[in-house]
Amino acid sequence: MANLFDALGIAQVDPERVFAVRNGLAPVTYGELTAESARYANALASCGVERGDRVAVHVEKCLEMLLIYLACLRLGAVFLPANPAYTDDELGFILSDANPAIVICAPETARRFEALRSGPHERFETLDTNGGGSIAVLAKGCASHFASVAVAADDLAAILYTSGTTGRPKGAMLTHGNLASNAVTLREYWRFEAGDRLLHALPIFHTHGLFVGTNVTLAAGASMLFLPRFEVGEVIAGLAQSSVMMGVPTFYIRLLGAPTFDGQTARSLRLFISGSAPLSAQVHREFERRTGHAILERYGMTETNMNTSNPYDGERRPGTVGFPLPGVAIRITDPASRTPLAAGEVGMIEIAGPNVFAGYWNRPDRRAVDFDGAFFASGDLGRVDEDGYLHIVGREKDLIISGGLNVYPAEIEGVIDALEPVRECAVIGVPHPDLGEGVVAVVATTAAVEQDAASLRALLRGKLAGYKQPKAVVFLDDLPRNAMGKVQKSVLRERFAGLFDA
């Protein structure tokens, strides 16, 4: 196959067409995108980077980071973005594991990275959010032409490290073929065209903002409003310039909390997409009531990019993530035996298709654990309803076994989220002296509502079987989340581990 840079057709787009609009800065055209990514490819090559080498980038969101991503594709190098929030311990592990040929970091963190040096040949360059830094200076002196290196479909394009909530982070290896297949499929499925403009407020160290948002935009020859971060006021102002928005549930919750956000504000949008964390049915319905738009929820993960999506045309069913994308197969299996289960039964979600990653970097031992033939065990539990919609029930590690019975947090969360006083909730299991694990509801309410555990538990009577009823309800102002908006249940489990101690 063609190098992903060429497969996306970037150099074939009208060079005068705008690719990115940034507040206060001149627009960036496709011609400039092609020329500047060539300069960065030449700069990386002059630093000794070759096909297959890892290029680690640890900077805040900026367009130059996307140029380096495209430069890596053109060079046949492997792009490795690192979350700016990583600690020294996390960064040190990733650098020693990936052994990058070069690390590009912010000028103010250069000394920090020198101290974390993992190999004698590792080179350090800097990049700042204003387009400065040593690698930018080097690129400015390089040629604006670069012939893409020929690659195979299974050659690595990127390594993205998982969050490591159950141990050390693992580097998911994504190939040119993985990313090309997903970009083309999503362009068609979500009807992206050259006239679209994506409101891009997501981070770009993660698959959502980097591969879904960016690659789909490029594959359509479309444009993006490139915002450095999500800020409610900036996003509401940017909606008038956009036709599509991709976000995490937190984005939509915060928009609904803004008095100025309504259907008139969203009138130029044709599509709102949500992912990276479960979107509650309550938020879905309130958003549609407020704006007339049914959010399109989809399901993906670092290791596979996108797997399923609610339909563009047809019912976008609240609380579900839709149907398998074209070319993707989904099956529900018993987590222990991996035997396929009947429709409606809850089990492990397994995925096969051209989008599924090549495995974990330096972890060949994981292959036999994670794969059954072509099918990858996602770690997510789910079921397929009678109409074929996939429901995510929760992570396998979040399953609660209370009194010997399986309790699926997502089911309880859906019931609690629908209660009038509740803004959002997370259901966890913590050690219980009698039941093994006790069900705990951690709830954030609207500011005006008195926090009363007994009253909330009373509202649940008759809505859930007794063994599913929370044995305790605790209140927080906000639930802890990671950078992609996922509730950090491991943090909650640790915090409330002694709740039922005598």
Side-chain angles (χ1 to χ4, degrees):
M1 64 158 281
N3 184 297
L4 177 60
F5 179 88
D6 298 326
L8 292 172
I10 298 167
Q12 279 66 58
V13 178
D14 179 352
E16 298 301 315
R17 185 180 297 169
V18 170
F19 165 67
V21 175
R22 296 174 289 174
N23 290 337
L25 297 171
V28 176
T29 66
Y30 271 85
E32 290 167 330
L33 189 70
T34 301
E36 293 305 308
S37 63
R39 293 186 194 278
Y40 275 99
N42 284 310
L44 290 173
S46 74
C47 293
V49 177
E50 299 178 346
R51 175 179 174 177
D53 284 343
R54 277 74 60 208
V55 176
V57 181
H58 181 269
V59 298
E60 297 292 341
K61 181 178 179 180
C62 59
L63 194 64
E64 287 71 23
M65 186 173 169
L66 289 185
L67 295 175
I68 293 172
Y69 161 58
L70 296 177
C72 287
L73 296 179
R74 301 181 78 170
L75 189 57
V78 182
F79 186 67
L80 196 168
N83 186 339
Y86 277 155
T87 65
D88 283 359
D89 183 60
E90 290 166 318
L91 288 170
F93 171 78
I94 288 170
L95 294 181
S96 64
D97 187 54
N99 190 25
I102 187 171
V103 175
I104 300 171
C105 61
E108 61 270 21
T109 63
R111 288 188 178 180
R112 176 185 176 193
F113 275 90
E114 286 285 358
L116 295 171
R117 182 184 292 273
S118 63
H121 306 298
E122 196 171 79
R123 177 166 176 159
F124 292 85
E125 299 292 340
T126 60
L127 178 71
D128 64 39
T129 54
N130 296 316
S134 62
I135 192 69
V137 171
L138 185 59
K140 282 182 172 62
C142 290
S144 60
H145 300 281
F146 188 91
S148 298
V149 171
V151 298
D154 59 358
D155 279 353
L156 295 190
I159 297 176
L160 267 61
Y161 276 80
T162 61
S163 58
T165 54
T166 57
R168 283 293 197 183
K170 301 187 295 291
M173 300 187 292
L174 296 157
T175 69
H176 284 254
N178 293 152
L179 301 181
S181 69
N182 223 225
V184 171
T185 296
L186 295 175
R187 178 191 66 192
E188 301 302 318
Y189 203 82
W190 292 340
R191 312 287 176 83
F192 265 75
E193 297 180 349
D196 276 314
R197 175 162 293 168
L198 172 69
L199 192 154
H200 194 305
L202 293 159
I204 51 176
F205 61 79
H206 186 272
T207 189
H208 193 168
L210 180 61
F211 299 141
V212 183
T214 303
N215 285 354
V216 173
T217 300
L218 290 169
S223 64
M224 60 171 65
L225 173 61
F226 194 76
L227 300 178
R229 65 191 62 83
F230 180 89
E231 291 184 356
V232 171
E234 286 192 5
V235 168
I236 289 176
L239 290 174
Q241 307 172 52
S242 309
S243 62
V244 180
M245 176 177 161
M246 295 183 188
V248 298
T250 305
F251 288 9
Y252 296 111
I253 291 168
R254 291 179 180 172
L255 284 173
L256 289 172
T260 58
F261 179 71
D262 56 20
Q264 184 66 14
T265 310
R267 66 189 181 280
S268 69
L269 273 286
R270 69 170 180 85
L271 182 62
F272 289 93
I273 302 170
S274 181
S276 295
L279 179 75
S280 78
Q282 181 186 13
V283 171
H284 188 288
R285 294 186 181 103
E286 173 59 19
F287 196 91
E288 185 169 12
R289 186 196 67 78
R290 180 92 66 91
T291 68
H293 285 278
I295 297 172
L296 187 152
E297 189 172 10
R298 83 304 183 275
Y299 166 54
M301 57 194 308
T302 301
E303 291 88 345
T304 62
N305 291 296
M306 298 304 101
N307 305 309
T308 72
S309 173
N310 269 276
Y312 187 84
D313 295 317
E315 182 187 2
R316 299 174 191 171
R317 188 168 292 182
T320 80
V321 291
F323 308 100
L325 290 166
V328 177
I330 298 287
R331 71 182 188 186
I332 307 297
T333 65
D334 177 88
S337 67
R338 304 195 73 164
T339 304
L341 299 175
E345 292 190 64
V346 172
M348 176 73 71
I349 300 171
E350 298 195 4
I351 306 143
N355 56 313
V356 177
F357 75 140
Y360 294 110
W361 179 259
N362 283 341
R363 296 296 304 272
D365 57 303
R366 292 292 312 180
R367 186 84 196 178
V369 177
D370 298 321
F371 284 85
D372 179 16
F375 279 90
F376 169 66
S378 67
D380 292 321
L381 298 175
R383 64 178 178 86
V384 177
D385 67 23
E386 64 278 6
D387 296 320
Y389 287 82
L390 178 64
H391 298 244
I392 307 295
V393 173
R395 292 289 291 171
E396 183 183 23
K397 62 185 174 61
D398 293 333
L399 173 68
I400 302 166
I401 302 177
S402 185
L405 299 171
N406 289 352
V407 178
Y408 300 105
E411 178 188 5
I412 305 170
E413 288 162 356
V415 174
I416 296 175
D417 280 338
L419 300 178
E420 188 62 34
V422 175
R423 179 157 45 91
E424 55 181 341
C425 80
V427 171
I428 58 172
V430 302
H432 190 283
D434 180 44
L435 300 170
E437 285 186 295
V439 178
V440 177
V442 185
V443 177
T445 64
T446 54
V449 174
E450 182 179 350
Q451 297 178 346
D452 182 347
S455 296
L456 189 142
R457 292 179 69 186
L459 291 173
L460 294 176
R461 292 194 189 107
K463 297 180 183 295
L464 292 166
Y467 72 94
K468 300 177 185 178
Q469 295 277 349
K471 301 300 180 283
V473 177
V474 294
F475 296 93
L476 297 178
D477 290 338
D478 292 290
L479 302 181
R481 297 180 182 274
N482 66 15
M484 291 309 299
K486 290 184 181 179
V487 174
Q488 295 178 301
K489 290 190 174 182
S490 60
V491 173
L492 294 174
R493 283 192 289 266
E494 182 177 351
R495 178 171 177 179
F496 297 110
L499 195 63
F500 296 116
D501 289 350

